[in-house]
């Protein structure tokens, strides 16, 4: 054996993986996705290589190709997002339980993933005979519902923000009816979790408008407590 031989690199053969991860990040961070030509230029690879990587990520349900030919994030990213936000979810669950039992309605923690609002944690009240319920991992476009408005309001202010988003920041909550689920009232509070954390909100959903309105102060209180815990 040649003792002077250079040992193989631990990253040998990982160039394809590195490129794939780079493309995944480029596409998911683009507000309206990317075309294959844009991916090739941004990743500095031949268009054939870009197509191969994009198709592999689509096969893994990490990306999907829209009817306009642009690639965007897909549902396969959601379990990864949940795992990545595990500390936030674990910290939020006791507070969500407190709020659900106090209000008698289902409350949830949602985070923004690209242009989707994703339910990271959902807690229903332990008492009462009737309440609305939905599953963790449920998602809807950021353009819909109280949670969508609150997640947009959780972002830094922009000159292009709509008057509706500005109003949510002033009030400290958003309230909508029937935008995500028919005949359901939703109220959501934007969270300020600090650097390195996702844009997030707390959401209450109920069939009664007044119950939704009455949840604002409770959600703001536990939101402030969650922000304090996450920043420690």
């Amino acid at each position: 054996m040649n003792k002077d031989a250079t040992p193989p690199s631990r990253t040998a053969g990982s160039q394809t993986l590195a490129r794939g991860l780079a493309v995944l990040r480029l596409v998911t961070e683009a507000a309206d996705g990317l075309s294959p030509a844009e991916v090739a230029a941004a990743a500095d690879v031949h268009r054939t290589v870009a197509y191969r990587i994009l198709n592999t990520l689509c096969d893994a349900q990490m990306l999907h190709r829209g009817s306009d030919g642009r690639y965007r994030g897909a549902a396969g990213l959601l379990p990864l997002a949940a795992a990545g936000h595990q500390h936030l979810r674990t910290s939020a669950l006791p507070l969500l339980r407190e709020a659900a039992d106090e209000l008698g309605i289902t409350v949830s923690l949602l985070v923004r993933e690209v242009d989707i609002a994703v339910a990271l944690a959902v807690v229903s009240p332990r008492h009462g005979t009737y309440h609305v319920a939905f599953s963790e991992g449920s998602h809807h476009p950021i353009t819909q519902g109280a949670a969508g408005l609150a997640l947009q309001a959780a972002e830094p202010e922009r000159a292009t923000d709509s008057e509706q988003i500005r109003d949510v920041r002033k009030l400290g909550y958003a309230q909508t009816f029937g935008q995500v689920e028919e005949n359901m009232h939703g109220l959501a509070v934007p969270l300020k979790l600090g650097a390195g954390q996702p844009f997030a909100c707390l959401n209450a959903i109920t069939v009664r408008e007044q119950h939704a309105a009455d949840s604002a102060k409770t959600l703001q209180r536990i939101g402030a407590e969650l922000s304090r815990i996450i920043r420690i």
Side-chain angles (χ1 to χ4, degrees):
M1 179 183 291
N2 183 358
K3 295 182 179 180
D4 295 327
T6 302
S9 168
R10 289 185 299 171
T11 59
S14 65
Q15 185 181 40
T16 300
L17 175 59
R19 282 178 173 173
L21 293 173
V23 168
L24 182 63
R25 180 179 292 275
L26 286 168
V27 173
T28 56
E29 288 182 349
D32 193 32
L34 293 175
S35 69
E38 290 169 335
V39 169
D44 193 25
V45 297
H46 191 274
R47 190 176 298 193
T48 302
V49 175
Y51 270 115
R52 188 181 305 126
I53 294 171
L54 289 167
N55 288 335
T56 299
L57 291 170
C58 286
D59 288 344
Q61 297 184 320
M62 298 297 175
L63 299 180
H64 78 277
R65 184 177 184 271
S67 58
D68 57 359
R70 302 179 72 81
Y71 290 79
R72 299 174 178 87
L77 294 171
L78 301 180
L80 298 180
H85 303 317
Q86 191 60 39
H87 174 58
L88 174 59
R89 181 181 182 278
T90 301
S91 300
L93 280 172
L95 296 171
L96 294 176
R97 172 64 62 197
E98 175 187 337
D101 287 344
E102 177 181 328
L103 297 169
I105 57 180
T106 297
V107 296
S108 56
L109 168 69
L110 291 97
V111 296
R112 178 170 184 166
E113 292 295 335
V114 194
D115 287 333
I116 298 174
V118 183
L120 193 62
V122 181
V123 177
S124 297
R126 288 175 286 192
H127 310 293
T129 57
Y130 179 83
H131 58 264
V132 179
F134 60 100
S135 303
E136 293 180 357
S138 298
H139 56 280
H140 59 80
I142 202 75
T143 53
Q144 296 178 0
L149 289 171
L151 289 172
Q152 292 179 73
E155 296 186 8
E157 294 184 19
R158 301 174 183 172
T160 55
D161 286 337
S162 68
E163 192 64 34
Q164 192 174 26
I165 298 302
R166 294 191 181 99
D167 288 343
V168 172
R169 291 196 183 102
K170 292 176 184 177
L171 291 172
Y173 65 87
Q175 187 169 356
T176 60
F177 173 70
Q179 290 192 7
V180 177
E181 294 292 341
E182 187 177 0
N183 298 322
M184 296 296 170
H185 294 272
L187 185 140
V189 171
L191 299 179
K192 297 180 180 179
L193 300 179
Q197 295 296 327
F199 297 119
C201 72
L202 297 177
N203 183 71
I205 184 169
T206 174
V207 295
R208 298 181 181 179
E209 182 177 7
Q210 193 58 49
H211 278 187
D214 290 345
S215 70
K217 289 185 178 179
T218 297
L219 294 187
Q220 288 170 336
R221 172 174 55 79
I222 70 166
E225 177 63 13
L226 179 57
S227 297
R228 185 192 67 79
I229 293 171
I230 292 298
R231 290 170 182 266
I232 292 177

